[in-house]
Amino acid sequence: MLITEMKAKETLASLTDGKKVFIINCEGCKEVHFPGKEAKEFQKELISTGRVTGTITTDYICNPDNMKLRLSKHMSEIEAADAVLVFSCGVGVQTISAYLEDKPVYAACDTYPLPGFQGVTPLEYQCDQCGECWLNLTGGICPITACSKSLVNGQCGGSKDGMCEVDSSMECGWERIQRRLAQIGRLDLLKCPTNVRNFATDEEVSK
Ligand code: SF4
Ligand code: SF4
């Protein structure tokens, strides 16, 4: 099980500053925790700026077939947006990001673990519920699960022919991240030297 908490309003405001945005809310795990009230307030403010091209509230965007079906009616609104802002756990954001590969897709929430039964939904992407979601800096590819060492500050340098030095059957996660950032024109994110990760956040929330 997991908990989604909305990122700080200031963080979301800076991600969406001056951009046209399409908003996706995933309420598939709402019975556990979804920051509905805060999300609604933030979205209301954003909509009042006239920069929101469309919104959708649905469930289980982590299921690619379901997600494609739900989004299919909104593709023109998504195309009109500069970015897509997703209120969901890390799996949902990764699923959308892989589908809308030419569009910046931002995580509006952090994902925290909650003890208990996880459920059996077949997932294409993994989220380790690490507490401070890093997807906005890594082009929507999770460095915790896509990199064997869960590195958050770049490649270890050991990859061979694009494959991971720890597990030669998997592509190096950081090479995927670099490719994706190049695709969405955000290689500049790799230059930011001040992104010190807060590994304590998940413990704080589960107290
Ligand atoms: S960085 Fe990865 S593990 Fe952490 S919350 Fe985001 S998707 Fe989940
Ligand atoms: S080779 Fe790539 S995926 Fe493997 S540990 Fe190093 S950075 Fe991570």
Side-chain angles (χ1 to χ4, degrees):
M1 300 218 290
L2 55 83
I3 293 174
T4 48
E5 291 277 4
M6 198 173 92
K7 287 181 181 286
K9 274 187 180 178
E10 298 72 29
T11 304
L12 299 190
S14 93
L15 279 172
T16 55
D17 189 28
K19 296 188 181 80
K20 284 188 274 178
V21 179
F22 184 84
I23 295 172
I24 299 173
N25 294 295
C26 178
E27 295 190 342
C29 302
K30 195 179 178 183
E31 64 278 11
V32 182
H33 187 264
F34 178 77
K37 190 162 171 277
E38 305 97 290
K40 208 169 179 181
E41 277 169 18
F42 177 80
Q43 290 172 23
K44 204 171 154 192
E45 280 173 33
L46 197 55
I47 288 168
S48 72
T49 66
R51 289 188 283 111
V52 174
T53 63
T55 68
I56 178 173
T57 297
T58 181
D59 58 7
Y60 298 106
I61 58 171
C62 53
N63 177 319
D65 293 332
N66 179 47
M67 179 270 295
K68 283 177 204 167
L69 191 65
R70 305 286 172 122
L71 293 195
S72 61
K73 293 181 190 144
H74 298 269
M75 290 316 287
S76 59
E77 294 161 38
I78 292 170
E79 273 159 27
D82 302 310
V84 175
L85 188 62
V86 185
F87 291 74
S88 80
C89 75
V91 179
V93 181
Q94 290 179 77
T95 311
I96 301 277
S97 180
Y99 181 55
L100 303 175
E101 54 181 13
D102 294 325
K103 188 79 64 184
V105 173
Y106 296 128
C109 297
D110 290 319
T111 306
Y112 300 89
L114 188 68
F117 185 57
Q118 180 63 43
V120 291
T121 312
L123 302 173
E124 209 156 295
Y125 301 93
Q126 299 299 319
C127 166
D128 227 17
Q129 303 159 9
C130 70
E132 184 185 5
C133 190
W134 218 240
L135 294 174
N136 296 337
L137 297 168
T138 56
I141 295 171
C142 171
I144 306 295
T145 56
C147 167
S148 297
K149 298 175 189 170
S150 297
L151 299 176
V152 292
N153 294 317
Q155 201 167 9
C156 71
S159 71
K160 292 179 184 64
D161 300 324
M163 306 304 274
C164 174
E165 73 166 354
V166 177
D167 178 353
S168 60
S169 68
M170 71 176 249
E171 196 177 354
C172 167
W174 272 97
E175 296 213 4
R176 288 176 53 212
I177 289 169
Q178 285 173 49
R179 246 193 346 260
R180 167 91 177 133
L181 289 175
Q183 192 172 17
I184 59 171
R186 290 309 312 267
L187 276 174
D188 59 297
L189 288 171
L190 294 175
K191 293 182 193 156
C192 182
T194 53
N195 296 320
V196 178
R197 186 182 167 75
N198 181 4
F199 281 99
T201 48
D202 53 341
E203 288 167 23
E204 281 162 14
V205 161
S206 35
K207 270 180 198 166

